[in-house]
Amino acid sequence: MTLVALASAVALLLLLGKFRSQATRLGQALTGSNKAIHGCMQQSLSGLKMAKILGSESRLLQEFHTEVQQLRMQQLQFQRHSSAASALMQAGAATLLVAYLYAGFHIWHIPLAELAVLAVIMARMAPQVGNLQQQWMQWLHALPAAQDVFELQDSHQQAAEPAPATNAP
């Protein structure tokens, strides 16, 4: 029965694969929005005197506001997406449990005590599998930002001056 519950959990995780690929795509979009906000801030701060002279502060503020709204929409989209995946995981686990109980009792004529064990196993395992799905999605969502950080570190290490040679006596 434990193997049936585990196989069901794996099947649910595989069925929700499109949500994980979507989480990666949303993470890439969020990383791009964060870069755009930082670029907008850098441009605004470096050209602040010129913007005051030309009276274009409102344009800079509007560009920043647009980028922040884009970032907010992407964050909300990920939260909606994550909540939908969680709801589908819970509904799928409940549906499988009902199907197993029905099939076990009416089709396979499994004793009620054994079906109760299956129900307990699935009830205990379903939240853990749901948590695994959510954490996996969070990790995939954050992966593009981590990759950018690693690329930035590599480029800085390549551009760094070599360490001075120390001559030991």
Side-chain angles (χ1 to χ4, degrees):
M1 285 189 195
T2 303
L3 289 176
V4 168
L6 283 172
S8 299
V10 169
L12 279 174
L13 285 173
L14 291 175
L15 287 174
L16 294 174
K18 72 173 188 161
F19 284 95
R20 289 187 298 277
S21 63
Q22 184 77 359
T24 303
R25 188 189 63 73
L26 290 170
Q28 290 168 342
L30 187 66
T31 299
S33 287
N34 278 323
K35 284 181 180 180
I37 285 175
H38 288 235
C40 186
M41 286 296 293
Q42 185 177 9
Q43 178 185 359
S44 296
L45 291 174
S46 65
L48 192 58
K49 286 183 183 180
M50 187 59 73
K52 283 202 157 288
I53 292 170
L54 298 174
S56 61
E57 300 102 331
S58 61
R59 182 186 58 81
L60 291 176
L61 187 59
Q62 182 59 37
E63 287 175 8
F64 180 73
H65 180 69
T66 301
E67 293 297 335
V68 168
Q69 286 292 37
Q70 181 70 23
L71 177 74
R72 182 174 180 264
M73 292 306 295
Q74 288 169 348
Q75 289 172 333
L76 288 174
Q77 186 177 6
F78 176 71
Q79 288 303 319
R80 275 189 241 115
H81 187 73
S82 181
S83 297
S86 178
L88 282 175
M89 177 63 89
Q90 291 173 2
T95 303
L96 281 173
L97 178 60
V98 168
Y100 288 148
L101 291 177
Y102 179 80
F105 195 69
H106 291 292
I107 297 172
W108 299 312
H109 304 293
I110 296 175
L112 190 58
E114 290 180 25
L115 289 176
V117 170
L118 177 63
V120 168
I121 290 170
M122 287 190 73
R124 298 275 309 209
M125 198 169 55
Q128 300 303 323
V129 173
N131 189 26
L132 173 66
Q133 167 72 13
Q134 291 293 38
Q135 293 303 317
W136 196 354
M137 285 181 62
Q138 289 287 341
W139 184 80
L140 288 172
H141 185 66
L143 187 61
Q147 288 172 333
D148 271 4
V149 169
F150 295 142
E151 289 171 9
L152 186 62
Q153 282 179 330
D154 288 344
S155 69
H156 283 217
Q157 287 174 353
Q158 291 174 358
E161 294 181 13
T166 56
N167 293 334

